[in-house]
Amino acid sequence: MLYRKASPYILSSSLINKLRKYEELHKKCSPNTPLFHQSLQQLKANHSTDQLKCNYVLWTPAGGLGNRMLTLVSTFLYALLTNRVMLIHQVDDMVDLFCEPFPGSTWYVPPDFPIKNLESYNLYSENSYGYMVEHNMINIDPNSPSSAVPSFIYLHLKHDYRYHVLHKRFFCEDDQEVINKINWVLLKSDNYFVPGLFMIPKYEQELERMFPIKETVFHHLGRYLLHPSDSVWGMVMRYHNSYMAKAKERIGIQARIFQSSPISIDDLYKQMVNCTLEESILPKLNPEQSKNSFLAPNEATPRAVLLASLYGVLYDRLKDMYYLHSTTTGEIVSVYQPSHEENQQFDQQLHNQKALAEIWLLSFSDVLVTTAGSTFGYMAYSLAGIKPWFLMRSKDQKIPDPPCHRSVTIDPCFHSPPDDLICRTRNITNAGKVVRHVRHCEDFDGGVKLFE
């Protein structure tokens, strides 16, 4: 907390109370407790029961680190709304990434958990909700008893779910009534599906009480839930104290290239520079190198730029730009880049640790520039509570004009909302027009996000 500016967004008393009650529930129901072992016995049966005191949602990872952090927070909010305990299936590349968030308990399922091969569950798994509904393996009558539903269900909310209407029915109120009767829910997603929860009438009032300022969902829950491990925090602290701590202004830039929106490194660099100079995020260069462009050491205002990118060439060029030229304001600009891996390395623990450290370092910034549609960037600005400048994605392999746009909200984008979904209580033909505080994203076509 001492490394970040205090959040301007106050937590509601309703959210605080909800979190305190959840902590009590998690401690009572977490692995290695009698109630957890009781639930495991039920899991081996072929149906659920309404007599258990503890129900669970088990999160399993999908996608890169940014996607995982988005879905962890989404799943946690779902657990809060449905009075479930959230547990995690830990994989090798997530070891020593995060601290345990809940006092006196663990959120990891034990190695001998009876459901095996959790990573293999997909859109067509026989235990998925969509498959079971399609093949009449589950009673979808909301008034049916718990004994009419299975002991566990798999919810597939990865981006491809939206092409199968029965999987999209997770966002229908009647289907929520059915799912809520199932003791164990397995959930996999690479989406920030929080805006979809706001579209379910059943949860609207409680979400209103918990988040009177709608765009603060990830900001508050991310800061509450996600804490770097000691190993990652050591990287953060050492780098920040060595290079960033004494700067009077910290500017974070996150830049990447997507295969779906190709652009050359040269053009990405030009776009980054055009954005930061045009929007006065960085000072302009002094072409004449006149005497009065230099200030005495005690008069200079140092700006520290933290560049988070896979590409080392961006750092080399930006650093040289302020090394070879003075600025029109006389300001000193220092440029830093903690790592440049060149390629995203999935399933690599050290790569994820470095990425998490850079997300945290970016979240200490006073100003942020991030790549449109990047979940890595979403993490940084949402944790910081800063509305970033988006480096817009190229649509014709050329530099976008204008190069960047300012976000109007601090919450991430739900890339794959459940459009064209017919529910009994509410139709979602266009997810951006269902409720007034969910609108289309500025940075990702077809996505929706929470707005004030």
Side-chain angles (χ1 to χ4, degrees), residues 249-411:
E249 184 178 43
R250 294 184 287 270
I251 298 163
I253 302 176
Q254 179 260 335
R256 70 165 295 177
I257 298 172
F258 291 96
Q259 290 183 351
S260 57
S261 304
I263 188 174
S264 70
I265 285 286
D266 289 341
D267 283 344
L268 177 60
Y269 174 73
K270 291 176 185 175
Q271 180 185 5
M272 184 175 72
V273 170
N274 290 348
C275 170
T276 52
L277 295 184
E278 289 176 11
E279 303 300 340
S280 300
I281 297 168
L282 291 176
K284 292 182 172 60
L285 304 181
N286 187 343
E288 299 181 0
Q289 298 282 20
S290 57
K291 288 183 180 180
N292 58 17
S293 67
F294 297 94
L295 300 176
N298 60 347
E299 296 176 322
T301 303
R303 293 197 198 189
V305 178
L306 181 77
L307 177 61
S309 179
L310 294 169
Y311 325 115
V313 66
L314 298 180
Y315 162 74
D316 291 335
R317 292 183 183 181
L318 191 62
K319 178 191 67 174
D320 285 350
M321 188 174 90
Y322 284 106
Y323 173 61
L324 299 173
H325 302 88
S326 64
T327 62
T328 55
T329 58
E331 294 172 285
I332 304 301
V333 178
S334 300
V335 183
Y336 306 102
Q337 184 183 33
S339 69
H340 44 86
E341 303 281 300
E342 298 304 324
N343 294 294
Q344 187 170 355
Q345 301 173 29
F346 292 98
D347 304 324
Q348 296 293 320
Q349 182 202 22
L350 181 58
H351 180 82
N352 283 343
Q353 288 181 320
K354 290 179 180 179
L356 184 59
E358 290 181 28
I359 287 172
W360 245 255
L361 287 166
L362 285 172
S363 76
F364 298 159
S365 300
D366 301 299
V367 182
L368 271 168
V369 178
T370 66
T371 299
S374 169
T375 57
F376 190 103
Y378 291 170
M379 298 303 94
Y381 74 72
S382 295
L383 289 168
I386 292 174
K387 295 174 182 177
W389 292 93
F390 287 130
L391 294 172
M392 303 309 293
R393 291 166 73 161
S394 173
K395 296 184 178 180
D396 52 9
Q397 300 187 31
K398 297 179 181 178
I399 301 174
D401 184 20
C404 57
H405 288 293
R406 186 76 183 272
S407 176
V408 297
T409 174
I410 65 170
D411 216 47

Side-chain angles (χ1 to χ4, degrees), residues 159-176:
H159 61 276
D160 54 356
Y161 88 101
R162 65 189 309 190
Y163 304 114
H164 297 261
V165 66
L166 294 177
H167 290 283
K168 288 194 292 187
R169 290 192 63 83
F170 170 80
F171 296 100
C172 287
E173 187 168 45
D174 284 358
D175 294 77
Q176 279 293 311

